[in-house]
């Protein structure tokens, strides 16, 4: 689905000399609320980390089961349900979409505290993932309509700072709640028999319900596209039917039936879809056999049995990835027929390269995060008290890094149309070099110092790349564009990062080597950024023209 614009010569860089108009104070109120929602998103997502010891003790969970709860299963549902929920954001009220989604995932977080086994907790966490998938696309779309183009990377950076606010709070508050509960109550005196981990889930979930009500009553739905001079209808015809079509486009046999209906080249498209379906199955089987064969029997964790056959972590991992890859392919194939304009703008190679950049950049950060504390225990002999230090390092570095990345990239864009991308290239290149020294030093103090700097630099990509992908589409499809962008960050990043580092550590017995292995994505990431930077000016300048050529009335 390559776009001809990708082969055009980029126009000469044009500096933006005019200052953007003032942004109303109410817009910053909306942005602050959205940032807090994003913090709750990661607060509820990351709480499994701090609760892991308690869950293992009370529910008898294995490390493999904890890994699945934290990573792959969550990432799969978050990424795939992000597509239909993004369609809802593009065709329905975005404020209502966020409020309902926040209320649902907060309720599922509270319900997690009532789980009595792995299956119940896993089902509740799937609900959290589905609910959280509603927030990102709708929030990105709202930000585009509350802030002018010259301030959008900064606005998205402030919004994205919620990630690290949530991560830090999950470690700090979660630990405090469990410590207080265990110090205050015995098993016989617990209120309603609730354990510390259950109280934590409830304490994190219930405030989200109140925040959902605040969103619904205080945030106004802006005119879609008015900020860019392309006002669009607030509600599309039959928005919920459109959501159903998006769901059907991802899962067989509905995906195949949908492709077979109503298109001129139905036979060829159907053959391609079926061939891809079976090719993915074959590849998943090969990867399961390969990765199981790499591990000694003691490391092949069996998490369930079906018909007497053991289900290993590798089976669940590659099965989930197979579902995610097929669902993504089938949906994109369906999009090319149902919305040729969106396909023209989202399906070009520059957009695809930036989505991969997001996936590869998050692969490194997600891959390292679950193992940082374990690494410090192994190398520096630290105790549990180090967890608080790590939590505040990651929170402060991440929040400042994502903000500075957005602020600096908006200014870089005024000097060159692709300035945002060149800033990301510099930040990721420096962080890769420092990461090597971080994991080869024998000094704890130097390790912590480099951890702060690397995390500060490593996250600077998020706001510029996200804002750039939003600028490459029309207002009516910004939620859809955000969902495609999130496919990379979640399937490649969250779905593959922790698993890959853990697998390499199990195979080699060397956690340091496994964590350094994330550096192999750095040259590919930089190459994709250089490719995109050369083509971005022409792609952005031709958005309206290409949309009109594809039949859009703009």
């Amino acid at each position: 689905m390559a776009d001809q614009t990708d082969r055009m010569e980029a126009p000469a860089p044009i500096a933006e000399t005019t200052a953007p108009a003032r942004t109303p104070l109410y817009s910053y109120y909306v942005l602050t609320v959205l940032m807090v929602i994003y913090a709750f998103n990661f607060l509820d997502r990351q709480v499994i980390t701090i609760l892991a010891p308690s869950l293992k003790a009370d529910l008898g969970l294995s490390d493999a089961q904890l890994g699945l709860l934290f990573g792959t299963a969550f990432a799969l549902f978050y990424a795939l349900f992000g597509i239909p929920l993004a369609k809802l954001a593009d065709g329905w009220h975005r404020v209502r979409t966020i409020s309902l989604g926040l209320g649902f995932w907060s309720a599922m977080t509270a319900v997690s505290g009532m789980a009595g086994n792995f299956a119940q907790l896993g089902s509740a966490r799937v609900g959290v993932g589905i609910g959280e998938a509603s927030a990102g696309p709708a929030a990105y779309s709202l930000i585009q309509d509350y802030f002018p183009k010259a301030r959008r990377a900064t606005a998205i950076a402030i919004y994205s700072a919620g990630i690290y606010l949530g991560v830090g709070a999950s470690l700090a508050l979660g630990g405090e709640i469990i410590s207080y509960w265990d110090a205050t109550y015995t098993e016989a005196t617990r209120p309603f028999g609730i354990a510390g981990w259950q109280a934590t889930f409830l304490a994190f979930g219930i405030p989200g319900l109140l925040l959902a009500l605040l969103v619904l009553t205080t945030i106004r739905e802006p005119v879609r596209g008015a900020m860019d001079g392309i006002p669009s209808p607030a509600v599309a015809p039959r928005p919920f039917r459109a959501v159903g079509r998006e769901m059907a486009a991802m899962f067989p046999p509905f995906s195949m039936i949908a492709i077979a209906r109503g298109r001129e080249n139905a036979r060829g498209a159907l053959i391609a879809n079926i061939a891809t379906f079976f090719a993915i199955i074959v590849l998943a089987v090969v990867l399961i056999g390969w990765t199981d064969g790499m591990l000694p029997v003691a490391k092949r964790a069996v998490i369930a049995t079906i018909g007497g056959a053991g289900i290993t972590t590798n089976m669940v991992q590659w099965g989930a990835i197979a579902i995610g890859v097929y669902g993504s392919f089938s949906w994109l194939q369906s999009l090319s027929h149902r919305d040729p304009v969106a396909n023209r703008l989202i399906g070009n190679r520059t957009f695809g390269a930036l989505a991969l950049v997001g996936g590869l950049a998050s692969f490194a950060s997600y891959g390292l995060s679950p193992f940082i504390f374990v690494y410090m225990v192994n190398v520096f002999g630290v105790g549990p008290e180090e967890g608080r230090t790590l939590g505040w390092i990651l929170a402060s570095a991440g929040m400042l890094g994502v903000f500075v990345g957005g602020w600096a990239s908006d200014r870089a864009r005024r000097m060159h149309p692709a300035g945002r991308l060149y800033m990301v290239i510099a930040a990721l290149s420096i962080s890769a070099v420092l990461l090597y020294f971080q994991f080869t030093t024998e000094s704890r103090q130097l390790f912590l110092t480099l951890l702060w700097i690397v995390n500060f630099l490593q996250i600077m990509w998020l706001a510029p790349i996200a804002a750039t992908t939003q600028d490459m589409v029309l207002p009516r499809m910004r939620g859809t564009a955000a969902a495609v962008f999130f496919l990379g960050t979640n399937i490649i990043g969250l779905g593959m990062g922790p698993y890959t580092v853990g697998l390499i550590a199990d195979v080699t017995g060397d956690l340091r080597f496994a964590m350094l292995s994330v550096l192999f994505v750095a040259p590919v990431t930089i190459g994709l950024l250089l490719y995109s930077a050369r083509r971005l000016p022409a792609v952005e300048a031709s958005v309206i023209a290409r949309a009109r050529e594809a039949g859009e009335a703009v």
Side-chain angles (χ1 to χ4, degrees), residues 128-211:
V128 173
I130 293 171
E132 289 190 3
S134 66
Y140 272 41
S141 182
L142 278 177
I143 289 170
Q144 301 297 109
D145 287 325
Y146 270 110
F147 290 87
K149 182 177 290 188
R151 287 200 176 100
R152 284 174 186 163
T154 302
I156 289 178
I158 295 172
Y159 166 71
S160 300
I163 295 174
Y164 293 93
L165 183 62
V167 169
S170 71
L171 292 169
L173 295 180
E176 290 295 331
I177 293 171
I178 292 177
S179 297
Y180 169 79
W181 206 266
D182 291 344
T184 306
Y185 304 108
T186 65
E187 189 170 349
T189 61
R190 292 172 180 170
F192 306 104
I194 294 175
W197 66 269
Q198 294 175 302
T200 304
F201 275 126
L202 292 169
F204 282 14
I206 292 173
L209 298 174
L210 301 177
L211 181 59

